[in-house]
């Protein structure tokens, strides 16, 4: 999907949409005290966040001048976000971690897959290991696979969309049917991200370094702010 136009959504606009949806989703996840079904339905908009960020990570792989620094930046914020994530969602610190760890491993898997000198079996083993390491993280190996295939099919929109849908159906929506209720419907909210991603115009957008670092800074910061609000309200 090679685009260079002022029409559509910039990378900055897509990330801002993802950030707004993430804040709303994380607020509802803990603070909603109303009807359970309504609470689940209110979480549908939040399903756009991971697909958008996975797509932007794959795009970033082709746009960055230094993949090693990109990986290091993600690893740094995965570490910084760990305790805000487990504290806010009241999870065991050794059993779970935030989505940036999944994003890091997705970028690492794409880097391995695109390495020109690694044998196929080494690449396959490396990608499989990345999926295993991502298991405790938010969006786990699903995010790793989305980033991988968004990157492998770079600028091939139809193949990107088909692989995205196949991974989502196989590893997210079908397992949700075992949970019953509204879970499959909520998980299907991932498809709301596709028209937004399709509108990406290939432009970075305004903001410069602030936009570059903004999402990574926002992720732990908003979790800490919500935790303080939770304590203040006694939720």
């Amino acid at each position: 999907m090679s685009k260079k136009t002022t029409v559509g959504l910039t990378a900055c606009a897509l990330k801002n949409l993802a950030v707004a949806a993430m804040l709303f989703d994380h607020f509802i996840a803990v603070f909603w005290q109303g009807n359970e079904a309504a609470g689940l339905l209110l979480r549908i908009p939040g399903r756009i966040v991971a697909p958008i960020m996975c797509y932007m990570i794959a795009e970033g792989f082709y746009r960055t001048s230094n993949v090693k620094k990109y990986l290091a930046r993600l690893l740094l914020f995965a570490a910084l976000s760990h305790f805000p994530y487990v504290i806010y969602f009241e999870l065991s610190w050794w059993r779970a971690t935030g989505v940036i760890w999944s994003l890091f491993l997705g970028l690492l898997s794409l880097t391995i897959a695109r390495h020109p000198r690694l044998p196929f079996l080494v690449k396959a083993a490396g990608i499989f290991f990345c999926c295993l390491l991502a298991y405790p993280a938010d969006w786990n190996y699903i995010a790793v696979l989305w980033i991988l295939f968004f990157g492998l099919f770079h600028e091939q929109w139809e193949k990107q969309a088909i692989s995205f849908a196949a991974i989502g159906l196989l590893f997210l929506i079908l397992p949700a049917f075992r949970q019953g209720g509204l879970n499959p419907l909520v998980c299907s909210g991932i498809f709301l991200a596709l028209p937004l991603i399709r509108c990406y115009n290939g432009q970075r957008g305004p903001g410069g370094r602030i936009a570059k670092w903004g999402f990574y800074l926002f992720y732990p910061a908003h979790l800490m702010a919500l935790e303080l609000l939770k304590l203040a309200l006694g939720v």
Side-chain angles (χ1 to χ4, degrees):
M1 185 171 56
S2 182
K3 296 181 180 180
K4 286 293 180 179
T5 176
T6 57
V7 179
L9 297 172
T10 64
C12 183
L14 276 173
K15 289 179 181 179
N16 286 339
L17 284 171
V19 160
M22 178 173 61
L23 176 60
F24 179 76
D25 183 68
H26 287 171
F27 178 85
I28 292 296
V30 171
F31 286 85
W32 178 260
Q33 302 293 321
N35 180 271
E36 183 180 355
L40 283 172
L41 291 175
L42 285 171
R43 300 202 66 188
I44 291 176
R47 301 315 97 200
I48 71 169
V49 179
I52 289 175
M53 295 315 301
C54 288
Y55 182 81
M56 297 314 303
I57 291 290
E59 277 289 300
F61 172 81
Y62 290 95
R63 295 174 182 273
T64 186
S65 59
N66 192 318
V67 175
K68 290 181 180 179
K69 286 185 178 180
Y70 195 6
L71 285 164
R73 184 162 67 247
L74 284 171
L75 184 59
L76 170 64
F77 281 98
L80 291 176
S81 303
H82 174 71
F83 283 104
Y85 178 82
V86 296
I87 291 170
Y88 179 65
F89 288 107
E90 299 180 359
L91 302 168
S92 300
W93 69 268
W94 66 92
R95 287 187 174 181
T97 194
V99 71
I100 299 184
W101 177 242
S102 297
L103 300 181
F104 163 75
L105 290 168
L107 179 60
L108 181 59
S109 72
L110 180 56
T111 304
I112 291 169
R114 283 302 193 195
H115 196 287
R117 293 186 295 276
L118 289 177
F120 173 79
L121 289 179
V122 173
K123 291 181 179 182
I127 293 166
F128 178 72
F129 191 56
C130 286
C131 289
L132 284 179
L133 288 175
Y135 188 77
D138 194 16
W139 289 95
N140 51 64
Y141 54 86
I142 297 173
V144 175
L145 294 175
W146 275 343
I147 293 169
L148 177 64
F149 283 93
F150 277 144
L152 291 178
F153 295 135
H154 186 239
E155 298 186 344
Q156 301 176 69
W157 171 247
E158 290 79 11
K159 291 181 179 180
Q160 286 180 322
I162 291 170
S163 60
F164 167 80
I167 293 164
L169 283 169
L170 183 61
F171 297 114
L172 183 65
I173 296 172
L174 289 180
F177 277 100
R178 292 198 296 267
Q179 300 172 3
L182 293 172
N183 287 293
L185 176 61
V186 175
C187 292
S188 296
I190 60 172
F191 294 111
L192 297 175
L194 285 178
L196 297 173
I197 294 171
R198 184 61 174 140
C199 289
Y200 174 57
N201 63 12
Q203 301 286 338
R204 177 178 291 180
R209 292 182 65 84
I210 295 176
K212 180 179 179 180
W213 289 84
F215 170 77
Y216 307 113
L217 290 168
F218 180 84
Y219 187 74
H222 92 283
L223 290 170
M224 289 188 289
L226 287 173
E227 175 63 20
L228 291 175
L229 180 62
K230 185 173 70 172
L231 293 172
L233 298 177
V235 174

